[in-house]
Amino acid sequence: MASQASQPSAPDGPRVIVAGATGFTGALAAHLLWRHPDFELVAVTGRSELSRPLGELYPRYRVPLAIEELAPERLQGIDAVVVAYPHAAAAPTVGALREHGIRVVDLSADFRLRSLETYERWYGTHPRADLLGEAVYGLTELHRERIAGAAIVANPGCYPTASLLALAPLARAGLIADLVIDAKQGISGAGRVFDQTTHLSMAGENIVPYKVAAHRHTPEIEEQLALLFPSGNGPPPDLRVQFQAHLVPLDEGEMVSCYVTTTRPVAAVELSELYTQAYAEEPFVELLDRPPGVLEVRETNYCRVFAAADEHTGKVIAFGAIDNLWKGTSSQAVQNLNLMFGLPETRGLL
Amino acid sequence: MASQASQPSAPDGPRVIVAGATGFTGALAAHLLWRHPDFELVAVTGRSELSRPLGELYPRYRVPLAIEELAPERLQGIDAVVVAYPHAAAAPTVGALREHGIRVVDLSADFRLRSLETYERWYGTHPRADLLGEAVYGLTELHRERIAGAAIVANPGCYPTASLLALAPLARAGLIADLVIDAKQGISGAGRVFDQTTHLSMAGENIVPYKVAAHRHTPEIEEQLALLFPSGNGPPPDLRVQFQAHLVPLDEGEMVSCYVTTTRPVAAVELSELYTQAYAEEPFVELLDRPPGVLEVRETNYCRVFAAADEHTGKVIAFGAIDNLWKGTSSQAVQNLNLMFGLPETRGLL
Amino acid sequence: MASQASQPSAPDGPRVIVAGATGFTGALAAHLLWRHPDFELVAVTGRSELSRPLGELYPRYRVPLAIEELAPERLQGIDAVVVAYPHAAAAPTVGALREHGIRVVDLSADFRLRSLETYERWYGTHPRADLLGEAVYGLTELHRERIAGAAIVANPGCYPTASLLALAPLARAGLIADLVIDAKQGISGAGRVFDQTTHLSMAGENIVPYKVAAHRHTPEIEEQLALLFPSGNGPPPDLRVQFQAHLVPLDEGEMVSCYVTTTRPVAAVELSELYTQAYAEEPFVELLDRPPGVLEVRETNYCRVFAAADEHTGKVIAFGAIDNLWKGTSSQAVQNLNLMFGLPETRGLL
Amino acid sequence: MASQASQPSAPDGPRVIVAGATGFTGALAAHLLWRHPDFELVAVTGRSELSRPLGELYPRYRVPLAIEELAPERLQGIDAVVVAYPHAAAAPTVGALREHGIRVVDLSADFRLRSLETYERWYGTHPRADLLGEAVYGLTELHRERIAGAAIVANPGCYPTASLLALAPLARAGLIADLVIDAKQGISGAGRVFDQTTHLSMAGENIVPYKVAAHRHTPEIEEQLALLFPSGNGPPPDLRVQFQAHLVPLDEGEMVSCYVTTTRPVAAVELSELYTQAYAEEPFVELLDRPPGVLEVRETNYCRVFAAADEHTGKVIAFGAIDNLWKGTSSQAVQNLNLMFGLPETRGLL
């Protein structure tokens, strides 16, 4: 029964807290930081389950710390906080942390969008719009340098992570004229929510599309793609992405299938060059010459990417496969923390 | 242990044989015909497992008949045969059956395409091109009248079945300018094949795209959609459908998500009218006002359809959910047999 | 969209109500009665979801009736009610129904035990102990004759159903000296409960024992086994059954593995004779010469049984496989209703 | 695409080979040794798939080494080999390796039994009975000291591992009079075998008992339990264990439920003391006060144990939960290698 003591958190590293550790993504972030060789996980906080060891709620993660309230006095000497709160609930806490000078990786959508107007169209009034300028979009492979120095890292959604990694080489080359993204995700994507969506008798053996014609991840993808478009060419003035998500009966895993109508014909060899150039040096992007399966990236920080030109239609199909809880959320948060504290990007993640 | 005798096949109805009953779709066709109140299932045949009761291979189906060879003398007095052979293997058998004057529902792709040229581009030389003219495409809802009198019914593939039912109202209105179909299917779609695709440790907890930019169901969908286009408008001279299939970890179930760039803006109310008009009277098409889940049609002959207009992109999204082995294959074969023998279309299927 | 009208309930048959149709077993009972050729399902009632069509809550079951309260005036002309309430909640309703002269199949535990003392040790005070004498234990194969005339049928639990069918031949021969029953069940056994037990991310890929050394099904099994023991021999004065249940990651299905220390050595041939004699004529018990899989009885009223003598240990192992929601609960309720109303026992169940 | 280089094997540690790396357990052993901080994985060998990178066969494991034949010249400078061959095939290779003075962890059953007579009753003639004396049974927690110095470690089967850890405290106290073990395991237990046992459409949504009254793991459990019995008391001269295995629909995970008729009454407090005393200091045994779920130990070297006294029956129930591929096989092999080479037992396993 020695597991409690078997993975002591690093005592001399940067001191971090996970706020909102009772949910799936917060708990996983706590697990990854607890076993990380260079961070000291000081506390896990939550609004429920107070004083219960996190390891009771999530036995697999073996984090012995007890859940506590996020009390101001606890913030003394803390270097960073991972905020795993629901959308809109996160911003005020992020604001308070910034006032203590603490760096933040925010897993919510609150600071992902650069355009306040877009944010408010999808989410309503922004609680801390004043902080938008401090936030860097935390898709590591796209914004590595700025993340290293950021005060607030707005960790991307899992769908944008997989989609943008699958599409970035095409976007940078200005090749996207029209875009359909069909995404499939395991039930962990619904989180620690107990209802028909997650009951094994209803979700197992099922495939269910959700949020038809209304997915909040759409503007995040559109905004980031637009940033990638080559400014010389001028981006398509208004790329409207057709994004559709589906729940499929597995736990962790996410596949995005991207169907791109290109601005001009793209041959297989050009496609291959674009992707190789983009990802040859990336430690966590694995470029394949066949379609990936999500099981290949299960419980890892890897994203597997495959792109093909379809001679029959002239379109390009690009796939991105990730673990929605890992690279899609919590391990990418650690990847970002590594950069923010001058550690090798892969530390604790291989 | 009285199950062998508990579901006697109808002794006075049309006499049918299932040829190729050892595979998933043949076995299910045998099950449905065995328990059908109006057909007499006379024999089940196969090329392996000879003399084993089908009920041993497929315990759930409880068909006590032993597998036998398809001997010519067995065809005496037979009214119809369901042929569940692999592509290319079916055509010679279908030919032989026709020479005995026996009506056929063929589950293979051999007689689905009207264009011989298209067939040969995807499958190679056709073994019995002379019979193409006798064959009627067996998507019941589209060709009900001609199926009733057909000598050969070419039962559709499961992907075309769900896709065409989801898209027919748009096609008939000439509204499809460009089309992406993203399909997800359970592992039963791989059939009685034993390899990495179907091993639970490899296929469970996985999502895998397959046959990228090369799916043989594409021409079948394109050809049937073209037939639906209003001739007055003239069909798009060459609609190229982007079709992509994925395996997801369940047994039976199939979802097609169709993304339609329309020829002109389509409002929600028009969309609703088009679909209601098409399907209000259909016994096996259930039109929803929310996205369907495949579990809702599991082990039934129903297809659930939902269509929505996306104001953000201007596209129309249409979903079709079926059980790939049932409406996607074997129960649709029975639906067609019902029509061919003057029975109510729903007989044995509710 | 014709499904609402496609399966009209039999208008001239006995008129039945399912009370508590919002739970898994009540909903399935409603489905089976709705499509039954000889019963008229008049109403489905519940304490929540009032006025919602049951088909919305359980799309697969396609019962168009709306959920209503169980109002006294509704009971006019009703022949039978299936009561699918939680334990202790059922008894008062059963009592009220009896006062209207209505026959009841009760799916709860309230009337399963003959001994009031045993009931109260496990469940507390009995709300209607006065009715215990009217109740017949509804394991059809054991009490067929008395069920036919019963006012109240106490439908067995799913674990006792599978266990007793697996063990009855041994019990009748007085061969059971000591007994361990290890039961495994799919997640549907937890019912329409939304918590860690049923969340796919927690219950999928898991095996979890529950109610260790405290399962309420134990006395039900012990009491029924004792009734089967040959009175001449005298039953073991106090057979204490070791019963342990486990949840495994599937929807419907239940396997009981029974390990029997016998009162004397039992040879394979004697074992075979005992079971064949017991079950040769049973329409819903399928005796195998190999272990069954639960998928073989999925969504059927069958119980598959296999028994073997282990030469190494001298013990007998007996397996019983059922669908916990079907033969384990709701289809057995219909089997009992068939008997109660003079219909063939298999009607609507093949 | 930098994954190939991202986890270089330790260049200065003991040099090891995994022989038979194409199967599930060999591949996992290769993965664990490849990422191990102190072993250098020099080669992976197999009899098929020659020259294919192991990472292609098992993408999740990311071992870039290509599969090669186990050539004698390859053995130069090798310190240890993990042999992952089928039963009977392993012994000759183990013999050859011993002649090169190479230490072996053998995953097969060939050297697990101390009694040659018992071996030959279950498996036939032993190919290298001369080496039985050199072999130490590799259940780390039971034989830690002898494993450290062993030439051949006979790694236990997964069922004996979980069973013996669940039962050792009772056996050492001489408390086991009679014993039933009911084991449930995920489909990975069937290995890289492609047939009805592993096809998702047949194994998913199923529970299947196998090898009834004939499981080869029985003598291994009996022999090891007998060794644990206190010699003073005298072991039961011939404890016959009733062992029964079942496949359930998940990938990795194994639960053994042990039902113990004790030699004398055992109170809860004594039970608790026995187990606490046995496991308080064990790094990989987690003693619980509630039943474990296998998901809690998924992909770890932990075994979770829970024991309870049942007042109703007087029996003791003990549960052991492991990951069959990890603690059940390959991570226990690494645990043993750690001991054999003087490393901390937990190295590379937390």
Side-chain angles (χ1 to χ4, degrees):
Chain A
M1 244 184 348
S3 69
Q4 284 77 345
S6 62
Q7 299 174 316
S9 215
D12 300 322
R15 293 164 55 82
V16 296
I17 285 175
V18 173
T22 57
F24 280 10
T25 57
L28 176 57
H31 168 67
L32 293 172
L33 289 166
W34 180 252
R35 71 173 203 182
H36 194 287
D38 291 303
F39 284 104
E40 184 185 3
L41 180 65
V42 173
V44 291
T45 77
R47 290 166 179 185
S48 63
E49 311 283 352
L50 291 178
S51 83
R52 267 186 86 181
L54 187 58
E56 261 183 48
L57 276 170
Y58 294 90
R60 281 191 75 189
Y61 290 162
R62 290 179 171 73
V63 176
L65 302 179
I67 295 157
E68 52 186 276
E69 286 189 272
L70 184 60
E73 56 274 22
R74 250 316 202 175
L75 300 177
Q76 198 67 29
I78 296 300
D79 296 292
V81 173
V82 176
V83 176
Y85 285 177
H87 307 317
T93 296
V94 172
L97 292 167
R98 287 308 301 140
E99 277 143 32
H100 283 77
I102 295 173
R103 300 172 81 183
V104 175
V105 176
D106 177 22
L107 305 187
S108 85
D110 287 359
F111 298 97
R112 289 179 193 156
L113 293 173
R114 290 158 53 110
S115 157
L116 179 60
E117 187 195 333
T118 308
Y119 179 94
E120 300 198 325
R121 190 161 60 236
W122 290 83
Y123 295 92
T125 306
H126 197 297
R128 288 302 300 266
D130 58 307
L131 293 173
L132 280 178
E134 279 192 47
V136 174
Y137 188 71
L139 185 49
T140 325
E141 286 73 12
L142 299 189
H143 303 290
R144 190 172 272 127
E145 289 73 22
R146 295 180 57 230
I147 288 165
I152 301 171
V153 170
N155 223 55
C158 60
Y159 289 128
T161 293
S163 302
L164 292 167
L165 289 174
L167 293 164
L170 295 172
R172 285 202 195 100
L175 287 168
I176 305 176
D178 192 38
L179 175 57
V180 170
I181 302 175
D182 184 293
K184 302 104 187 141
Q185 189 179 222
I187 303 301
S188 65
R192 196 181 175 81
V193 164
F194 301 109
D195 63 11
Q196 294 90 321
T197 323
T198 60
H199 193 301
L200 189 143
S201 292
M202 295 155 172
E205 300 293 304
N206 210 348
I207 307 172
V208 187
Y210 67 100
K211 291 188 191 156
V212 175
H215 205 290
R216 286 172 164 184
H217 282 147
T218 307
E220 188 180 333
I221 297 170
E222 289 173 348
E223 198 180 75
Q224 288 292 319
L225 280 180
L227 289 174
L228 290 167
F229 286 133
S231 51
N233 277 355
D238 186 23
L239 179 68
R240 300 295 181 98
V241 175
Q242 186 74 49
F243 178 87
Q244 180 58 49
H246 304 73
L247 285 179
V248 292
L250 50 101
D251 178 7
E252 297 174 32
E254 177 179 313
M255 173 73 63
V256 296
S257 309
C258 307
Y259 305 93
V260 183
T261 306
T262 53
T263 51
R264 59 169 173 77
V266 181
V269 61
E270 179 184 1
L271 199 62
S272 171
E273 281 169 10
L274 284 173
Y275 277 80
T276 304
Q277 200 174 322
Y279 293 133
E281 303 299 318
E282 280 297 341
F284 288 118
V285 181
E286 297 180 324
L287 193 55
L288 304 189
D289 54 7
R290 54 159 185 85
V294 298
L295 192 53
E296 302 167 15
V297 295
R298 177 80 169 246
E299 290 174 49
T300 75
N301 193 53
Y302 293 103
C303 177
R304 293 204 145 188
V305 170
F306 170 61
D310 188 332
E311 289 185 19
H312 180 66
T313 61
K315 289 191 171 63
V316 167
I317 318 174
F319 300 93
I322 60 171
D323 185 310
N324 51 304
L325 294 186
W326 284 64
K327 177 62 177 170
T329 314
S330 302
S331 69
Q332 182 157 248
V334 173
Q335 189 182 4
N336 288 331
L337 280 171
N338 283 339
L339 289 174
M340 291 163 78
F341 288 91
L343 297 167
E345 190 175 319
T346 60
R347 189 64 62 87
L349 294 174
L350 293 181
Chain B
M1 241 184 354
S3 69
Q4 282 80 346
S6 62
Q7 297 172 317
S9 214
D12 300 321
R15 294 163 54 83
V16 296
I17 285 176
V18 173
T22 57
F24 280 11
T25 56
L28 176 57
H31 168 66
L32 293 171
L33 290 165
W34 180 254
R35 68 171 204 184
H36 194 288
D38 290 304
F39 286 103
E40 182 185 4
L41 179 64
V42 173
V44 291
T45 77
R47 291 167 176 183
S48 62
E49 311 283 350
L50 292 177
S51 84
R52 269 185 83 181
L54 187 59
E56 260 182 51
L57 276 172
Y58 293 91
R60 283 191 75 189
Y61 290 161
R62 290 179 171 72
V63 176
L65 303 180
I67 296 156
E68 53 185 273
E69 285 189 273
L70 183 59
E73 57 274 23
R74 249 317 201 175
L75 300 177
Q76 198 67 29
I78 295 301
D79 297 292
V81 173
V82 176
V83 176
Y85 285 177
H87 307 316
T93 296
V94 172
L97 293 166
R98 287 307 302 139
E99 278 143 31
H100 284 77
I102 296 173
R103 299 173 80 183
V104 175
V105 176
D106 177 22
L107 306 187
S108 84
D110 287 0
F111 298 96
R112 290 179 193 157
L113 293 172
R114 291 158 53 109
S115 157
L116 179 61
E117 187 195 333
T118 307
Y119 180 93
E120 298 199 325
R121 190 160 60 237
W122 289 84
Y123 295 93
T125 307
H126 197 296
R128 289 299 301 264
D130 58 309
L131 293 174
L132 279 178
E134 280 193 47
V136 173
Y137 189 71
L139 186 49
T140 326
E141 285 74 12
L142 299 189
H143 302 290
R144 189 172 273 127
E145 289 71 21
R146 296 181 55 230
I147 288 165
I152 301 172
V153 170
N155 222 57
C158 59
Y159 288 128
T161 293
S163 302
L164 292 167
L165 289 174
L167 293 165
L170 295 174
R172 285 201 195 101
L175 287 169
I176 303 176
D178 192 39
L179 176 56
V180 170
I181 303 176
D182 184 291
K184 304 103 187 140
Q185 188 180 222
I187 304 299
S188 64
R192 196 181 173 80
V193 164
F194 301 109
D195 62 12
Q196 292 91 321
T197 322
T198 59
H199 192 302
L200 189 144
S201 292
M202 295 155 174
E205 300 293 303
N206 211 350
I207 306 171
V208 187
Y210 65 101
K211 290 190 191 152
V212 175
H215 205 290
R216 286 173 163 182
H217 282 147
T218 306
E220 188 179 334
I221 297 170
E222 288 173 349
E223 197 179 76
Q224 289 293 319
L225 280 181
L227 290 174
L228 291 167
F229 285 132
S231 52
N233 277 353
D238 185 23
L239 179 67
R240 301 293 182 98
V241 175
Q242 186 74 48
F243 178 86
Q244 180 59 48
H246 305 72
L247 285 179
V248 292
L250 50 98
D251 179 6
E252 296 174 32
E254 178 180 313
M255 173 72 64
V256 297
S257 308
C258 308
Y259 305 94
V260 182
T261 306
T262 52
T263 51
R264 59 169 174 78
V266 181
V269 62
E270 179 184 2
L271 200 61
S272 171
E273 282 169 9
L274 284 173
Y275 278 80
T276 303
Q277 198 174 323
Y279 294 133
E281 302 300 317
E282 281 297 340
F284 288 118
V285 180
E286 297 180 324
L287 193 56
L288 303 189
D289 55 6
R290 56 158 184 85
V294 298
L295 192 53
E296 302 167 15
V297 293
R298 177 81 168 245
E299 290 173 48
T300 75
N301 192 54
Y302 293 104
C303 177
R304 294 205 143 187
V305 169
F306 170 62
D310 188 333
E311 290 184 18
H312 180 66
T313 61
K315 290 191 168 64
V316 168
I317 319 175
F319 300 92
I322 60 170
D323 184 312
N324 50 303
L325 295 185
W326 284 64
K327 177 63 176 170
T329 312
S330 303
S331 69
Q332 181 157 248
V334 173
Q335 189 182 2
N336 288 331
L337 281 171
N338 283 340
L339 289 175
M340 292 163 77
F341 289 90
L343 298 167
E345 188 176 320
T346 60
R347 189 65 60 88
L349 294 174
L350 293 180
Chain C
M1 242 182 352
S3 69
Q4 282 79 343
S6 62
Q7 298 173 316
S9 216
D12 300 322
R15 294 164 54 83
V16 295
I17 285 176
V18 174
T22 57
F24 280 10
T25 56
L28 176 57
H31 168 66
L32 293 172
L33 290 165
W34 180 253
R35 69 171 204 182
H36 194 288
D38 290 304
F39 286 102
E40 182 185 4
L41 179 64
V42 172
V44 290
T45 77
R47 293 169 176 182
S48 63
E49 311 283 352
L50 292 177
S51 84
R52 269 185 84 180
L54 187 58
E56 260 183 50
L57 276 172
Y58 294 90
R60 283 191 74 189
Y61 290 161
R62 288 178 172 74
V63 176
L65 303 179
I67 295 158
E68 53 186 273
E69 285 189 274
L70 184 59
E73 56 274 22
R74 249 318 200 173
L75 300 177
Q76 197 68 29
I78 295 300
D79 297 292
V81 173
V82 176
V83 176
Y85 285 177
H87 307 316
T93 296
V94 172
L97 292 167
R98 286 307 303 139
E99 279 142 31
H100 283 78
I102 297 173
R103 299 172 81 184
V104 174
V105 177
D106 177 21
L107 305 187
S108 85
D110 286 1
F111 297 97
R112 290 178 192 157
L113 293 173
R114 292 158 53 110
S115 157
L116 180 60
E117 187 195 334
T118 307
Y119 180 94
E120 300 199 325
R121 192 160 58 237
W122 290 84
Y123 295 93
T125 307
H126 197 297
R128 289 300 300 264
D130 58 308
L131 293 174
L132 279 178
E134 279 193 47
V136 174
Y137 188 71
L139 185 49
T140 325
E141 285 74 12
L142 299 189
H143 303 289
R144 188 173 274 125
E145 288 72 20
R146 296 181 54 231
I147 289 165
I152 302 172
V153 170
N155 222 54
C158 59
Y159 289 129
T161 293
S163 301
L164 292 168
L165 289 174
L167 293 165
L170 295 173
R172 284 200 196 102
L175 287 169
I176 304 177
D178 193 39
L179 175 56
V180 170
I181 302 176
D182 184 292
K184 302 103 189 142
Q185 189 179 220
I187 304 300
S188 64
R192 196 180 174 81
V193 164
F194 301 108
D195 62 12
Q196 292 91 322
T197 323
T198 59
H199 193 301
L200 189 143
S201 293
M202 295 155 173
E205 300 293 303
N206 210 349
I207 306 171
V208 187
Y210 68 100
K211 291 189 190 151
V212 174
H215 205 289
R216 285 172 164 184
H217 283 147
T218 306
E220 187 180 335
I221 297 170
E222 289 172 348
E223 197 179 76
Q224 289 293 318
L225 280 180
L227 289 174
L228 291 168
F229 286 131
S231 51
N233 277 353
D238 184 22
L239 180 67
R240 300 295 181 95
V241 175
Q242 186 73 51
F243 177 87
Q244 180 58 50
H246 304 73
L247 285 179
V248 292
L250 50 99
D251 180 5
E252 298 174 32
E254 177 180 313
M255 173 73 63
V256 297
S257 309
C258 308
Y259 305 94
V260 183
T261 306
T262 53
T263 51
R264 58 169 174 77
V266 181
V269 62
E270 179 184 1
L271 200 60
S272 171
E273 282 169 9
L274 285 172
Y275 278 79
T276 303
Q277 200 174 321
Y279 294 133
E281 303 300 317
E282 281 297 340
F284 288 119
V285 181
E286 298 180 323
L287 192 56
L288 303 189
D289 55 6
R290 56 157 183 84
V294 297
L295 192 52
E296 302 167 15
V297 295
R298 176 80 168 244
E299 290 172 50
T300 76
N301 193 53
Y302 293 105
C303 177
R304 294 205 144 189
V305 169
F306 170 63
D310 187 333
E311 290 185 17
H312 179 67
T313 62
K315 289 190 169 64
V316 167
I317 319 175
F319 300 93
I322 59 171
D323 184 312
N324 50 303
L325 294 185
W326 284 64
K327 177 63 176 168
T329 313
S330 303
S331 69
Q332 182 157 247
V334 173
Q335 189 182 3
N336 288 331
L337 281 170
N338 283 339
L339 289 174
M340 292 163 76
F341 288 91
L343 297 167
E345 189 176 321
T346 60
R347 189 64 61 90
L349 294 175
L350 293 181
Chain D
M1 244 184 353
S3 70
Q4 283 78 347
S6 63
Q7 298 173 317
S9 214
D12 300 321
R15 294 163 55 82
V16 296
I17 285 175
V18 174
T22 56
F24 279 11
T25 57
L28 176 56
H31 169 66
L32 293 172
L33 289 166
W34 179 254
R35 71 173 203 181
H36 194 288
D38 290 303
F39 285 102
E40 183 185 4
L41 179 64
V42 173
V44 291
T45 77
R47 290 167 177 183
S48 63
E49 311 283 351
L50 291 177
S51 83
R52 269 185 84 181
L54 187 58
E56 261 182 48
L57 277 171
Y58 293 91
R60 281 192 76 189
Y61 290 162
R62 291 180 169 73
V63 177
L65 302 179
I67 295 157
E68 52 186 275
E69 287 189 272
L70 184 60
E73 56 273 22
R74 249 316 201 175
L75 300 177
Q76 199 68 30
I78 294 302
D79 296 293
V81 173
V82 176
V83 176
Y85 285 177
H87 306 317
T93 296
V94 172
L97 291 167
R98 286 309 301 141
E99 278 142 30
H100 283 79
I102 295 173
R103 299 172 81 182
V104 174
V105 176
D106 178 22
L107 306 187
S108 85
D110 286 1
F111 298 97
R112 288 179 193 157
L113 293 173
R114 290 160 55 111
S115 157
L116 179 60
E117 188 196 332
T118 308
Y119 179 94
E120 299 198 326
R121 190 161 59 237
W122 290 83
Y123 295 93
T125 306
H126 197 296
R128 289 300 300 264
D130 58 308
L131 293 174
L132 279 179
E134 279 192 48
V136 174
Y137 189 71
L139 185 49
T140 324
E141 285 74 12
L142 298 189
H143 302 290
R144 191 172 271 127
E145 289 73 22
R146 296 180 56 230
I147 288 165
I152 301 172
V153 170
N155 222 56
C158 60
Y159 288 128
T161 292
S163 301
L164 292 168
L165 289 174
L167 293 165
L170 295 173
R172 284 201 196 101
L175 288 168
I176 303 176
D178 193 38
L179 176 56
V180 170
I181 302 176
D182 184 293
K184 303 103 187 140
Q185 190 180 221
I187 304 300
S188 64
R192 197 181 172 80
V193 164
F194 301 108
D195 62 13
Q196 293 91 320
T197 323
T198 60
H199 193 302
L200 190 144
S201 293
M202 295 155 172
E205 299 294 302
N206 210 348
I207 306 173
V208 187
Y210 66 100
K211 291 188 189 152
V212 174
H215 204 289
R216 285 173 164 182
H217 283 148
T218 307
E220 188 180 334
I221 297 171
E222 289 173 348
E223 197 179 75
Q224 289 292 318
L225 280 180
L227 289 173
L228 291 168
F229 285 132
S231 50
N233 278 352
D238 185 23
L239 179 68
R240 300 295 182 95
V241 176
Q242 186 73 51
F243 177 88
Q244 180 59 48
H246 304 72
L247 285 180
V248 292
L250 50 100
D251 179 6
E252 297 174 32
E254 177 180 314
M255 173 72 64
V256 296
S257 308
C258 308
Y259 305 94
V260 183
T261 306
T262 53
T263 51
R264 59 170 175 77
V266 181
V269 62
E270 178 185 2
L271 199 62
S272 171
E273 281 168 9
L274 284 173
Y275 278 80
T276 304
Q277 199 174 323
Y279 294 133
E281 303 299 318
E282 281 296 341
F284 289 117
V285 181
E286 297 180 323
L287 193 57
L288 303 189
D289 55 6
R290 55 160 183 85
V294 298
L295 192 53
E296 302 168 15
V297 294
R298 177 81 169 244
E299 291 174 49
T300 75
N301 193 54
Y302 292 104
C303 177
R304 293 205 145 188
V305 169
F306 170 62
D310 188 333
E311 289 184 19
H312 180 66
T313 61
K315 288 192 171 61
V316 167
I317 319 175
F319 299 93
I322 59 171
D323 184 310
N324 51 304
L325 295 186
W326 284 64
K327 178 62 178 171
T329 314
S330 302
S331 69
Q332 182 158 248
V334 173
Q335 190 181 3
N336 288 331
L337 280 171
N338 283 339
L339 289 174
M340 292 163 78
F341 289 92
L343 297 167
E345 191 176 319
T346 60
R347 189 64 61 86
L349 293 174
L350 294 181

